[in-house]
Amino acid sequence: MTYPINPDEKTADLTLTTIGRVQEGVAAASDRAVRRTIEEILQRLEAMAQGHRETRVHAIVRRFVLRSLIHTLFRVRIENLDRIPQTPAILAANHLHHIDPLLLLGELPTHPHYYVLGDARTLYNKLWKRFILRLVGGVIPLERVWKEEVAVMEAAKTGIQDLQELAKAIEENVRTGGDIQTLRQIDRIVQGILSQGDGLVLFPEGRLGSTEGQLHLPLKRGTVIYALRAGVPIIPVVIIGTHDLYLGKELTVRFGEPLYFSQTSRIKREEVDSVLEVLKNAMLNLLPSNYQEPQGIKLFRHFLNHMLW
């Protein structure tokens, strides 16, 4: 389904590219194959969290598949990988591109087994992505409304006629993931993963960042709450170079020192905010202060920047 858009009717946040992205998102939300994949994976993960054995590919195979794909296209630099403990932990990373979850899963140690909480529609909206992710596993699909979709709905409310039908399709097809049942399901899965000795990758910015060397603030509290409940350390991680991709570009993954906090079941807002401040500063200290985007010929730039949309 496509929607005719008048190029003159757009705001600073609503370009034709953005609207095209929203159209793809709505199509994925209403795709039965995407819907079925998300539901099957969540059911399997919840069963695992309840103590049932999960049939999953070995982490060595996962690393081989993902690294074979990513290292063919880019030069990957890993710094301080030895800072990751061999016990359960939560990795808190910045987020610049949809390739970030796959980059991390391909570079992390094989023990413990890591899972990443990622945007469901972005990860499963194409057949080839569903095939690869079913093979390598390790993804907890998170359903949410994209910021671009919110912008479309807000613009439609102001009277932009060309966006009325698209806004209606968003409301009818896109699941927000904010209902109590879904939130509790994700919470059970996360707690089950950590309690069984596995690790978790989270992106506390809650959205894609727009600038290398910066964080989208404030950070979301979920990372800290999960860590305090489970009594596991938080490992600050920064990814450098993925905002603008092209063939052969160097991508850097830099790990910080583990942050340890006392486990608690009665989490107070002040405690969460205090830990969040520590995490924010740790991530900022890992980011480059003077990042310069490389100049010169950038082969396959458009394709590589959009292949995971």
Side-chain angles (χ1 to χ4, degrees):
M1 182 181 298
T2 58
Y3 303 85
I5 302 297
N6 182 345
D8 295 328
E9 290 192 346
K10 58 186 179 181
T11 68
D13 294 323
L14 273 180
T15 63
L16 296 180
T17 300
T18 299
I19 293 170
R21 165 75 169 151
V22 172
Q23 292 171 347
E24 292 179 2
V26 172
S30 56
D31 188 312
R32 291 183 180 180
V34 175
R35 180 84 263 132
R36 184 169 58 251
T37 299
I38 295 171
E39 291 173 353
E40 289 176 355
I41 291 173
L42 287 174
Q43 289 173 5
R44 189 171 72 245
L45 289 172
E46 187 163 20
M48 179 204 67
Q50 294 172 353
H52 298 279
R53 184 177 179 83
E54 182 195 21
T55 301
R56 66 189 184 195
V57 67
H58 195 283
I60 293 178
V61 176
R62 181 173 74 181
R63 285 190 68 183
F64 174 77
V65 172
L66 292 177
R67 294 181 78 182
S68 296
L69 292 171
I70 294 173
H71 286 227
T72 299
L73 300 171
F74 311 104
R75 293 177 294 124
V76 180
R77 177 184 177 91
I78 307 298
E79 298 181 3
N80 307 318
L81 187 64
D82 58 340
R83 290 176 172 174
I84 300 179
Q86 296 183 349
T87 54
I90 293 178
L91 274 58
N94 66 319
H95 200 5
L96 293 166
H97 193 278
H98 298 303
I99 199 174
D100 296 341
L102 305 182
L103 175 62
L104 287 171
L105 287 179
E107 300 298 335
L108 291 174
T110 57
H111 180 79
H113 191 92
Y114 274 91
Y115 292 80
V116 60
L117 192 64
D119 183 83
R121 285 182 290 153
T122 301
L123 290 168
Y124 297 111
N125 63 346
K126 292 183 173 63
L127 179 62
W128 69 269
K129 287 196 245 180
R130 293 196 293 274
F131 173 78
I132 291 176
L133 289 174
R134 279 184 177 275
L135 175 64
V136 303
V139 174
I140 307 169
L142 178 67
E143 298 192 87
R144 63 187 182 88
V145 177
W146 297 344
K147 60 182 176 63
E148 297 95 336
E149 292 168 337
V150 173
V152 166
M153 290 189 287
E154 290 300 319
K157 290 177 182 178
T158 67
I160 299 180
Q161 293 301 315
D162 286 344
L163 297 178
Q164 299 296 321
E165 186 178 354
L166 182 55
K168 182 179 179 181
I170 294 170
E171 293 177 352
E172 292 178 348
N173 294 285
V174 176
R175 299 190 182 185
T176 66
D179 59 282
I180 295 298
Q181 182 178 354
T182 300
L183 292 174
R184 287 178 176 172
Q185 183 184 39
I186 296 295
D187 190 60
R188 288 192 298 269
I189 291 171
V190 168
Q191 291 189 55
I193 286 171
L194 296 173
S195 65
Q196 293 178 27
D198 291 323
L200 192 66
V201 177
L202 297 177
F203 299 98
E205 290 172 293
R207 53 165 285 183
L208 289 177
S210 58
T211 307
E212 292 278 2
Q214 296 182 18
L215 292 180
H216 180 73
L217 301 172
L219 301 180
K220 304 298 183 181
R221 294 183 172 86
T223 300
V224 171
I225 292 173
Y226 287 139
L228 292 177
R229 282 180 180 170
V232 300
I234 302 175
I235 316 297
V237 186
V238 297
I239 301 170
I240 305 165
T242 61
H243 183 257
D244 185 23
L245 299 177
Y246 54 85
L247 185 65
K249 187 178 185 182
E250 180 175 272
L251 312 179
T252 300
V253 181
R254 181 178 297 160
F255 296 91
E257 294 286 354
L259 306 175
Y260 291 92
F261 308 95
S262 300
Q263 183 177 9
T264 178
S265 58
R266 296 185 177 182
I267 301 173
K268 298 180 179 179
R269 174 71 174 266
E270 307 80 49
E271 184 178 14
V272 172
D273 289 344
S274 176
V275 174
L276 208 57
E277 184 71 13
V278 173
L279 173 61
K280 180 192 75 173
N281 291 332
M283 295 178 71
L284 288 173
N285 287 336
L286 291 171
L287 286 168
S289 58
N290 58 345
Y291 180 85
Q292 297 292 322
E293 193 66 41
Q295 301 299 311
I297 298 174
K298 300 181 178 181
L299 297 176
F300 302 113
R301 181 182 184 187
H302 179 81
F303 169 75
L304 292 173
N305 279 317
H306 294 82
M307 67 177 178
L308 291 176
W309 277 24

